[in-house]
């Protein structure tokens, strides 16, 4: 509809001295053009944007392309402004803390304290903090802002503060550590140490921090100055990667080689071992698999000055979680097993096909964050099949007991992008996943965790188990290929296969 101002303009035009017919026609054309422009301005250029008018240039872009390029630019501008605002808050927080605690300085190399060569430590009075590594955690499930994670062994009663260091700043960003238990802890001497996860929330995702310190006072200097590990976001490189908890002592070479080769046949393409004083006889075989790209070995002495089994196992949660966080984007699934265990499909030949079968059986629209497998003991006291090669333990020991209950020493595949903290059997602390099953308890008919060990239960119970033994030939399907691969490895290592 033509507005009032336009109509008035038309009336004025009509009240002037009448021109000739040609001029009148031109005048009416001009009036019509004016009316059309007014109509376009009021009814086309007005874009619904909270009732406000937007520029003609922006409106033309919207009409021409359907989606406003200018709107996209506006969103980017808002993100930049928001990022600048957050960086401003970070700078303000660092400056404020620097003014209130001017004595805090970035630790230099001489001020960093180490325990057993690898762990960094802080002792303040009766407080003890030991930390091996720290990770920048920007997994999508974490939320919009990243968090720094550090798995720690500690004896602390007070609140713990994170000093987050950024390049170019003399003082740290300080925040309170969120403490999460990751294990049962252990008493060493007169001190009970805790196994915990320290989480340090950040207020910006950029710039990236460089180092992390811990202290029990926001204004104290720390003797911990850990360089952050920043996993690179990417598609997974390995569908299945094994994480073995801290290991120590003697590992028989034939059993280790057999274990490595079985897992390769099942679809595992990388294995992580944390060396807590493994016998030196393994050096050559470790080097062989490291050079093949299948094995990664990390030195991990005890966090405290106790080299007994207790002291070594104190770092078990830290070893598994270091493995999970280090490979959060590299692995589709972390496989949590020990050297005397193998998760064996009962019908399929490899883990990829096994998960497809499980998902089909469970009618899952997508894969689960976790698959848990029941434990089945293959006790060494059962009779062996002596017709099989003496260096293939899994081929000789084919009697087992009935599968254990679902929560009794199971083993799991775990999506490292969905778990906050893992331990020896399953995900210990989970991120919430609304409207999604977190774990699939796999039917024994599809797969079992074969666990090869000596029966250590009470004599009467072991005797009962031996009477109820069941023959299990599921692994015999792999015998020929396994035997060939083990022999080839022994030949390369110049290892004598004779018993």
């Amino acid at each position: 509809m033509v507005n009032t101002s336009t109509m008035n303009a038309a009336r004025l035009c009509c009240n002037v001295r009448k021109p000739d017919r040609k001029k009148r026609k031109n005048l009416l054309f001009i009036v019509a053009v004016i009316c059309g422009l007014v109509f376009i301005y009021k009814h086309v250029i007005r874009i619904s944007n909270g009732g406000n008018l937007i520029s003609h240039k922006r409106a033309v872009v919207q009409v021409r392309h359907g989606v406003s390029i200018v709107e996209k630019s506006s969103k980017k501008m808002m993100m930049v402004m928001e990022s600048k605002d957050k960086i401003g808050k970070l700078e303000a927080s660092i400056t404020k803390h620097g003014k209130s605690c001017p004595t805090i300085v970035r630790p230099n190399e001489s001020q960093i304290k180490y325990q057993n060569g690898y762990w960094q430590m802080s002792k303040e009075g009766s407080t003890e903090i030991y930390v091996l590594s720290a990770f920048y955690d920007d997994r999508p499930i974490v939320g919009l802002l990243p968090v720094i994670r550090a798995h720690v062994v500690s004896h602390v009663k007070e609140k713990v503060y994170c000093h987050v260091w950024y390049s170019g700043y003399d003082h740290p960003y300080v925040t309170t550590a969120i403490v999460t238990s990751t294990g049962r802890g252990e008493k060493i001497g007169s001190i009970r140490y805790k196994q915990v996860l320290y989480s340090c929330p950040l207020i910006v995702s950029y710039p990236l921090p460089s180092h992390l310190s811990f202290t029990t006072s926001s204004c104290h200097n720390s003797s911990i100055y850990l360089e952050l590990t920043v996993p690179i976001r990417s598609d997974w490189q390995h569908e299945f990667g094994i994480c073995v908890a801290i290991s120590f002592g003697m590992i028989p070479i034939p059993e280790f080689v057999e274990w490595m080769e079985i897992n390769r046949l099942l679809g595992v393409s990388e294995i992580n071992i944390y060396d807590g004083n493994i016998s030196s006889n393994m050096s050559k075989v470790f080097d062989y698999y490291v050079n093949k790209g299948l094995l990664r070995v990390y030195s991990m002495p005890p966090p405290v000055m106790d080299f007994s089994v207790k002291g070594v196992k104190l770092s078990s949660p830290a070893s598994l979680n270091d493995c999970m966080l280090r490979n959060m984007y590299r692995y589709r699934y972390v496989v949590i097993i020990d050297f005397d265990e193998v998760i064996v499909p009962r019908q399929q030949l490899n883990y990829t096909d096994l998960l497809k079968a499980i998902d089909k059986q469970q009618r899952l629209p997508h894969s689960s964050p976790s698959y848990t497998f029941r434990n089945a003991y293959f006790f060494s006291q059962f009779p062996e099949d002596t017709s099989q090669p003496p260096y293939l333990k899994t081929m000789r020991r084919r009697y087992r007991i009935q599968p254990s209950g679902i929560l009794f020493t199971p083993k799991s595949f775990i999506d490292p992008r969905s778990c906050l903290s893992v331990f020896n059997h399953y995900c210990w602390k989970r991120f919430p996943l609304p409207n999604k099953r977190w774990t699939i308890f796999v039917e024994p008919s599809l797969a079992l965790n074969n666990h090869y060990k000596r029966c250590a239960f009470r004599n009467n119970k072991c005797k009962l188990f031996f009477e109820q033994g069941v023959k299990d030939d599921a692994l015999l399907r792999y015998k020929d290929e396994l035997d060939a691969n083990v022999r080839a490895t022994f030949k390369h290592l110049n290892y004598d296969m004779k018993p």
Side-chain angles (χ1 to χ4, degrees), residues 23-45:
K23 288 183 178 180
R24 187 186 303 172
K25 188 179 289 186
N26 291 339
L27 186 61
L28 288 173
F29 175 77
I30 292 171
V31 170
V33 169
I34 292 172
C35 294
L37 289 173
V38 171
F39 179 85
I40 291 171
Y41 180 80
K42 297 193 71 173
H43 297 282
V44 177
I45 306 303

mmCIF file of all heavy atoms in Angstrom, residues 23-45:
data_model
loop_
_atom_site.group_PDB
_atom_site.id
_atom_site.type_symbol
_atom_site.label_atom_id
_atom_site.label_comp_id
_atom_site.label_asym_id
_atom_site.label_seq_id
_atom_site.Cartn_x
_atom_site.Cartn_y
_atom_site.Cartn_z
ATOM 1 N N LYS A 23 4.197 15.533 -21.296
ATOM 2 C CA LYS A 23 4.830 15.806 -20.009
ATOM 3 C C LYS A 23 4.063 15.167 -18.876
ATOM 4 O O LYS A 23 4.633 14.687 -17.891
ATOM 5 C CB LYS A 23 4.948 17.311 -19.772
ATOM 6 C CG LYS A 23 5.992 17.961 -20.655
ATOM 7 C CD LYS A 23 6.115 19.444 -20.318
ATOM 8 C CE LYS A 23 7.210 20.101 -21.161
ATOM 9 N NZ LYS A 23 7.339 21.536 -20.858
ATOM 10 N N ARG A 24 2.691 15.196 -18.992
ATOM 11 C CA ARG A 24 1.871 14.581 -17.947
ATOM 12 C C ARG A 24 2.155 13.092 -17.862
ATOM 13 O O ARG A 24 2.239 12.507 -16.779
ATOM 14 C CB ARG A 24 0.394 14.817 -18.254
ATOM 15 C CG ARG A 24 -0.531 14.335 -17.105
ATOM 16 C CD ARG A 24 -1.978 14.453 -17.502
ATOM 17 N NE ARG A 24 -2.319 15.819 -17.871
ATOM 18 C CZ ARG A 24 -3.495 16.173 -18.407
ATOM 19 N NH1 ARG A 24 -4.392 15.253 -18.644
ATOM 20 N NH2 ARG A 24 -3.734 17.426 -18.713
ATOM 21 N N LYS A 25 2.330 12.442 -18.996
ATOM 22 C CA LYS A 25 2.609 11.005 -18.999
ATOM 23 C C LYS A 25 3.955 10.717 -18.319
ATOM 24 O O LYS A 25 4.088 9.775 -17.532
ATOM 25 C CB LYS A 25 2.622 10.487 -20.438
ATOM 26 C CG LYS A 25 2.706 8.963 -20.542
ATOM 27 C CD LYS A 25 2.694 8.513 -21.984
ATOM 28 C CE LYS A 25 1.307 8.723 -22.595
ATOM 29 N NZ LYS A 25 1.212 8.154 -23.961
ATOM 30 N N ASN A 26 4.972 11.540 -18.598
ATOM 31 C CA ASN A 26 6.282 11.363 -17.961
ATOM 32 C C ASN A 26 6.200 11.563 -16.462
ATOM 33 O O ASN A 26 6.842 10.867 -15.674
ATOM 34 C CB ASN A 26 7.298 12.340 -18.558
ATOM 35 C CG ASN A 26 7.647 11.991 -19.998
ATOM 36 O OD1 ASN A 26 7.448 10.851 -20.418
ATOM 37 N ND2 ASN A 26 8.162 12.968 -20.743
ATOM 38 N N LEU A 27 5.393 12.570 -16.065
ATOM 39 C CA LEU A 27 5.247 12.861 -14.633
ATOM 40 C C LEU A 27 4.579 11.708 -13.906
ATOM 41 O O LEU A 27 4.990 11.299 -12.806
ATOM 42 C CB LEU A 27 4.449 14.156 -14.448
ATOM 43 C CG LEU A 27 4.327 14.683 -13.023
ATOM 44 C CD1 LEU A 27 5.712 15.000 -12.453
ATOM 45 C CD2 LEU A 27 3.459 15.936 -12.984
ATOM 46 N N LEU A 28 3.549 11.141 -14.522
ATOM 47 C CA LEU A 28 2.872 9.994 -13.908
ATOM 48 C C LEU A 28 3.824 8.799 -13.795
ATOM 49 O O LEU A 28 3.786 8.035 -12.819
ATOM 50 C CB LEU A 28 1.640 9.614 -14.750
ATOM 51 C CG LEU A 28 0.461 10.586 -14.672
ATOM 52 C CD1 LEU A 28 -0.620 10.195 -15.668
ATOM 53 C CD2 LEU A 28 -0.109 10.593 -13.253
ATOM 54 N N PHE A 29 4.711 8.641 -14.768
ATOM 55 C CA PHE A 29 5.683 7.536 -14.719
ATOM 56 C C PHE A 29 6.637 7.717 -13.534
ATOM 57 O O PHE A 29 6.951 6.768 -12.810
ATOM 58 C CB PHE A 29 6.466 7.498 -16.035
ATOM 59 C CG PHE A 29 7.564 6.482 -16.044
ATOM 60 C CD1 PHE A 29 7.291 5.128 -16.203
ATOM 61 C CD2 PHE A 29 8.883 6.880 -15.864
ATOM 62 C CE1 PHE A 29 8.300 4.200 -16.185
ATOM 63 C CE2 PHE A 29 9.895 5.949 -15.861
ATOM 64 C CZ PHE A 29 9.616 4.614 -16.015
ATOM 65 N N ILE A 30 7.072 8.980 -13.337
ATOM 66 C CA ILE A 30 7.989 9.260 -12.213
ATOM 67 C C ILE A 30 7.301 8.983 -10.889
ATOM 68 O O ILE A 30 7.880 8.391 -9.969
ATOM 69 C CB ILE A 30 8.475 10.725 -12.285
ATOM 70 C CG1 ILE A 30 9.387 10.909 -13.505
ATOM 71 C CG2 ILE A 30 9.214 11.116 -11.005
ATOM 72 C CD1 ILE A 30 9.741 12.354 -13.800
ATOM 73 N N VAL A 31 6.025 9.409 -10.775
ATOM 74 C CA VAL A 31 5.259 9.163 -9.543
ATOM 75 C C VAL A 31 5.123 7.663 -9.294
ATOM 76 O O VAL A 31 5.283 7.169 -8.162
ATOM 77 C CB VAL A 31 3.874 9.829 -9.616
ATOM 78 C CG1 VAL A 31 2.993 9.376 -8.452
ATOM 79 C CG2 VAL A 31 4.011 11.333 -9.630
ATOM 80 N N ALA A 32 4.849 6.909 -10.355
ATOM 81 C CA ALA A 32 4.702 5.454 -10.206
ATOM 82 C C ALA A 32 6.006 4.824 -9.736
ATOM 83 O O ALA A 32 6.016 3.917 -8.886
ATOM 84 C CB ALA A 32 4.259 4.845 -11.542
ATOM 85 N N VAL A 33 7.152 5.329 -10.290
ATOM 86 C CA VAL A 33 8.447 4.800 -9.870
ATOM 87 C C VAL A 33 8.684 5.077 -8.396
ATOM 88 O O VAL A 33 9.158 4.220 -7.634
ATOM 89 C CB VAL A 33 9.576 5.401 -10.727
ATOM 90 C CG1 VAL A 33 10.950 5.069 -10.134
ATOM 91 C CG2 VAL A 33 9.498 4.892 -12.153
ATOM 92 N N ILE A 34 8.342 6.322 -7.966
ATOM 93 C CA ILE A 34 8.514 6.684 -6.553
ATOM 94 C C ILE A 34 7.672 5.768 -5.669
ATOM 95 O O ILE A 34 8.131 5.254 -4.639
ATOM 96 C CB ILE A 34 8.135 8.165 -6.319
ATOM 97 C CG1 ILE A 34 9.160 9.071 -7.020
ATOM 98 C CG2 ILE A 34 8.072 8.483 -4.834
ATOM 99 C CD1 ILE A 34 8.760 10.536 -7.014
ATOM 100 N N CYS A 35 6.427 5.561 -6.070
ATOM 101 C CA CYS A 35 5.538 4.685 -5.287
ATOM 102 C C CYS A 35 6.103 3.267 -5.208
ATOM 103 O O CYS A 35 6.063 2.610 -4.158
ATOM 104 C CB CYS A 35 4.144 4.655 -5.922
ATOM 105 S SG CYS A 35 3.279 6.235 -5.845
ATOM 106 N N GLY A 36 6.629 2.779 -6.347
ATOM 107 C CA GLY A 36 7.206 1.432 -6.352
ATOM 108 C C GLY A 36 8.402 1.308 -5.430
ATOM 109 O O GLY A 36 8.552 0.316 -4.705
ATOM 110 N N LEU A 37 9.271 2.320 -5.442
ATOM 111 C CA LEU A 37 10.441 2.288 -4.565
ATOM 112 C C LEU A 37 10.039 2.297 -3.104
ATOM 113 O O LEU A 37 10.636 1.608 -2.269
ATOM 114 C CB LEU A 37 11.354 3.481 -4.875
ATOM 115 C CG LEU A 37 12.098 3.419 -6.211
ATOM 116 C CD1 LEU A 37 12.834 4.730 -6.474
ATOM 117 C CD2 LEU A 37 13.083 2.262 -6.216
ATOM 118 N N VAL A 38 9.002 3.104 -2.780
ATOM 119 C CA VAL A 38 8.519 3.133 -1.386
ATOM 120 C C VAL A 38 7.982 1.771 -0.980
ATOM 121 O O VAL A 38 8.239 1.257 0.118
ATOM 122 C CB VAL A 38 7.442 4.221 -1.220
ATOM 123 C CG1 VAL A 38 6.771 4.114 0.150
ATOM 124 C CG2 VAL A 38 8.053 5.593 -1.396
ATOM 125 N N PHE A 39 7.229 1.144 -1.887
ATOM 126 C CA PHE A 39 6.667 -0.180 -1.594
ATOM 127 C C PHE A 39 7.775 -1.205 -1.356
ATOM 128 O O PHE A 39 7.739 -1.986 -0.397
ATOM 129 C CB PHE A 39 5.773 -0.604 -2.760
ATOM 130 C CG PHE A 39 5.171 -1.975 -2.570
ATOM 131 C CD1 PHE A 39 3.997 -2.138 -1.857
ATOM 132 C CD2 PHE A 39 5.794 -3.109 -3.093
ATOM 133 C CE1 PHE A 39 3.454 -3.379 -1.667
ATOM 134 C CE2 PHE A 39 5.257 -4.348 -2.911
ATOM 135 C CZ PHE A 39 4.084 -4.499 -2.192
ATOM 136 N N ILE A 40 8.779 -1.179 -2.249
ATOM 137 C CA ILE A 40 9.903 -2.121 -2.105
ATOM 138 C C ILE A 40 10.621 -1.894 -0.792
ATOM 139 O O ILE A 40 10.972 -2.826 -0.063
ATOM 140 C CB ILE A 40 10.880 -1.978 -3.293
ATOM 141 C CG1 ILE A 40 10.211 -2.490 -4.576
ATOM 142 C CG2 ILE A 40 12.178 -2.745 -3.033
ATOM 143 C CD1 ILE A 40 11.004 -2.199 -5.829
ATOM 144 N N TYR A 41 10.862 -0.648 -0.471
ATOM 145 C CA TYR A 41 11.578 -0.322 0.771
ATOM 146 C C TYR A 41 10.844 -0.842 1.988
ATOM 147 O O TYR A 41 11.427 -1.437 2.898
ATOM 148 C CB TYR A 41 11.758 1.191 0.874
ATOM 149 C CG TYR A 41 12.497 1.604 2.123
ATOM 150 C CD1 TYR A 41 13.879 1.510 2.179
ATOM 151 C CD2 TYR A 41 11.807 2.053 3.241
ATOM 152 C CE1 TYR A 41 14.558 1.858 3.329
ATOM 153 C CE2 TYR A 41 12.483 2.402 4.396
ATOM 154 C CZ TYR A 41 13.851 2.318 4.437
ATOM 155 O OH TYR A 41 14.529 2.665 5.564
ATOM 156 N N LYS A 42 9.513 -0.664 2.007
ATOM 157 C CA LYS A 42 8.736 -1.016 3.205
ATOM 158 C C LYS A 42 8.432 -2.498 3.283
ATOM 159 O O LYS A 42 8.285 -3.041 4.363
ATOM 160 C CB LYS A 42 7.432 -0.212 3.248
ATOM 161 C CG LYS A 42 7.660 1.289 3.351
ATOM 162 C CD LYS A 42 6.381 2.024 3.700
ATOM 163 C CE LYS A 42 5.988 1.748 5.127
ATOM 164 N NZ LYS A 42 4.852 2.554 5.572
ATOM 165 N N HIS A 43 8.334 -3.181 2.149
ATOM 166 C CA HIS A 43 7.821 -4.546 2.184
ATOM 167 C C HIS A 43 8.817 -5.594 1.697
ATOM 168 O O HIS A 43 8.589 -6.771 1.889
ATOM 169 C CB HIS A 43 6.537 -4.646 1.358
ATOM 170 C CG HIS A 43 5.446 -3.785 1.911
ATOM 171 N ND1 HIS A 43 4.700 -4.125 3.005
ATOM 172 C CD2 HIS A 43 5.009 -2.556 1.518
ATOM 173 C CE1 HIS A 43 3.823 -3.173 3.270
ATOM 174 N NE2 HIS A 43 3.998 -2.195 2.390
ATOM 175 N N VAL A 44 9.876 -5.220 1.044
ATOM 176 C CA VAL A 44 10.869 -6.188 0.585
ATOM 177 C C VAL A 44 12.164 -6.043 1.356
ATOM 178 O O VAL A 44 12.725 -7.007 1.852
ATOM 179 C CB VAL A 44 11.141 -6.033 -0.930
ATOM 180 C CG1 VAL A 44 12.241 -6.994 -1.381
ATOM 181 C CG2 VAL A 44 9.857 -6.261 -1.704
ATOM 182 N N ILE A 45 12.655 -4.793 1.465
ATOM 183 C CA ILE A 45 13.939 -4.594 2.115
ATOM 184 C C ILE A 45 13.859 -4.798 3.614
ATOM 185 O O ILE A 45 14.840 -5.089 4.262
ATOM 186 C CB ILE A 45 14.479 -3.167 1.806
ATOM 187 C CG1 ILE A 45 14.524 -2.939 0.313
ATOM 188 C CG2 ILE A 45 15.864 -2.942 2.400
ATOM 189 C CD1 ILE A 45 15.362 -3.954 -0.414
#
